Amino acid sequence: STKNNADLKPELTTSLEAGLEMKFFQGLLGFDVSLYKDNTVNQILPVAVSTATGYSSKYINAGEMQNQGIELMLMGTPVKSADFQWDITVNWAKNINEVISLDGDLENLQIAALQGGISINARVGEPYGTIQGTDYLYHENGQRIGKSNGYYAKTATADIIIGNINPDWTGGINNRFSYKGFTFSFLIDMQQGGSIFSLDQWY
């Protein structure tokens, strides 16, 4: 169902990164921090096409996308003896994504169309994975406008940005215990932010 594209160009990524790693107290405490900026051109993305063509999608070189952010890792060993050692690693990362440009004069590229009038998009000036749909209409005081039938009034179009799928930040805590040649570890992984559309609540 996907149309081949013989004219695809390879994606090219230019990266800038600076980092610093330091350890103290004979390696019992340390940190690793890095800043980065990646720009990818000729981004290969799937787009929907009319099924009258015999296909439902095709791949195109869609433009340029930028990622920039910070990654931070803290490492420590609270307990160290002849038989037992406890190591902790805490990591935190924040990435800011932006669609810089799309193919030709395109300002928005729909990645997926879903129930409830919702779509996932690559929109110039916005993060990749922008969620678009209808929104409520509001009074000047910020209150939603109600209609005579008891429902709230909504926008006539479904191209209003109502969220994006990207998290504000991600992080994790890893604990590692070593005792006489045996090792046990576990990871607590977390993510803050990232919009989710609930079709149940929409219904």
Side-chain angles (χ1 to χ4, degrees):
S1 62
T2 302
K3 180 177 175 58
N4 290 331
N5 185 351
D7 298 322
L8 279 179
K9 301 174 184 177
E11 292 185 0
L12 297 174
T13 300
T14 302
S15 298
L16 296 173
E17 183 171 350
L20 177 65
E21 181 180 357
M22 299 191 75
K23 291 190 176 181
F24 312 92
F25 310 113
Q26 287 144 7
L28 296 179
L29 182 66
F31 71 87
D32 185 350
V33 61
S34 63
L35 302 168
Y36 64 89
K37 180 182 178 184
D38 298 337
N39 285 75
T40 302
V41 296
N42 298 330
Q43 188 82 29
I44 298 175
L45 295 176
V47 295
V49 297
S50 169
T51 53
T53 62
Y55 303 93
S56 60
S57 64
K58 68 175 182 178
Y59 283 91
I60 67 169
N61 291 113
E64 180 180 359
M65 183 150 41
Q66 177 177 282
N67 286 284
Q68 57 184 339
I70 182 172
E71 296 177 347
L72 175 64
M73 184 162 57
L74 303 175
M75 301 151 285
T77 304
V79 179
K80 185 176 182 179
S81 64
D83 295 327
F84 177 76
Q85 182 168 326
W86 172 25
D87 299 306
I88 299 177
T89 303
V90 179
N91 65 76
W92 181 87
K94 180 178 180 65
N95 180 70
I96 300 174
N97 172 276
E98 182 182 354
V99 178
I100 303 298
S101 65
L102 293 172
D103 184 49
D105 296 328
L106 280 178
E107 289 294 320
N108 187 76
L109 184 62
Q110 188 179 95
I111 307 303
L114 308 169
Q115 295 184 64
I118 295 299
S119 62
I120 309 297
N121 303 266
R123 184 166 171 171
V124 174
E126 299 291 339
Y128 179 86
T130 295
I131 303 175
Q132 294 183 179
T134 56
D135 193 7
Y136 296 109
L137 297 176
Y138 299 91
H139 294 288
E140 290 183 3
N141 61 5
Q143 295 295 316
R144 287 178 287 186
I145 297 175
K147 299 192 296 184
S148 59
N149 60 5
Y151 289 95
Y152 289 115
K154 293 182 178 181
T155 57
T157 60
D159 59 354
I160 309 299
I161 296 177
I162 57 177
N164 86 81
I165 64 177
N166 301 288
D168 298 328
W169 55 265
T170 58
I173 302 174
N174 187 70
N175 285 273
R176 183 175 181 267
F177 303 94
S178 302
Y179 179 73
K180 290 186 176 181
F182 294 93
T183 300
F184 170 76
S185 67
F186 66 93
L187 172 69
I188 300 173
D189 202 20
M190 62 199 75
Q191 170 180 311
Q192 171 67 36
S195 302
I196 297 174
F197 178 79
S198 171
L199 190 63
D200 290 340
Q201 293 189 24
W202 179 83
Y203 277 124

